[in-house]
Amino acid sequence: MEQKIRRDRNLGSNLKRLREARRISQEKLCEEHPVSVVDILQFGESKGIHTDRKSVYGDIAVLREFNLDIVQRRERQNLYFIGSRLFELPELKLLVDAVESSHFITRKKSADLIRRLSTLASQEQVQQLDRPVYMDGMAKQDNEGIYYTVDTIHSAIREQKQITFQYTEYTSEKKKVLKHDGYWYFFSPYALIWSQDFYYAVGWSEKHDKVAQFRVDRMVNVELLEQVSVLMREFDPAAYVRRVFGMYGTEVQTVELLCENHVMSSVIDRFGEGVHTELAGPKHFKAVVEVAPSPPFFAWVFTFAGSIRIINPPETVEKFREMAKNAIL
């Protein structure tokens, strides 16, 4: 019995030392600043880990067996560093910038994710990850429960099940309230779409009796149901985003645009290379697009200051003119 207890204690001690050895390796062993066994021993002592050279060599061998790329540089005093990491420094910088600049991710969650990403870098590299990222002025979200909402919606999409939820809006006094007096929506989600730094759930809405979209950060009390989703034969999220500007729910129409030649790249960026175009003289081309004639679409047209003009159908042309008039006091 005593022998078993002693063996279990030794196993626990060895596992704890290996875990610490892996952490030390991730923090201290980088190619720019390789370390010797003596450095490793001294660092371990500073952390209350008492070991010897033989144990360090053994730990390095075990960590290599677990695919940690510890490289030995043979010199008068052998030096060690990690050759390749799970993420290289440029990749970590990219991920940290994406997390920091995302409005969808709360400040608290951003700090937590960046802290965990930093554990994949060495101490010297961590300093390079600590730099400001300048956003476009839109505020960060403050809804910490949004991550669980996203997970529930993903589960519903995967299992082809319905969800139910309530939706929030703001009053003129900036008070957040439940929309339609707390109405419970029943919804068959088809896709989660990231648009203009917001998450949208797109699917069949029982209330609207059609495909609709909801801002995920405004969905509350989301529950996964046992009812099977109302499915469409075909649903293309990419095509949906191209047609529905700003995720603004309006019926899609065929709209004809008269465009100056120099905006062809912008038209393709918006509608894809498959957009139907034809020449309309030496300086113009026509583009025929399937799009929701909504305020976000009109705003997109307006940004080209006349280089893109709506010419058909007439009711959409008139709607665009009315919106421009209403924008002026």
Side-chain angles (χ1 to χ4, degrees), residues 46 58 113 156 171 208 212 294:
S46 71
L113 289 173
T171 67
H208 301 95
S294 61

Side-chain angles (χ1 to χ4, degrees), residues 14-15 17-19 21-22 55-68 70:
N14 289 338
L15 289 174
R17 192 183 75 248
L18 282 170
R19 284 197 299 268
R22 183 179 179 85
S55 296
V56 170
Y57 291 131
D59 291 345
I60 290 174
V62 171
L63 292 174
R64 282 172 170 166
E65 289 180 9
F66 283 91
N67 298 320
L68 192 62
I70 300 178

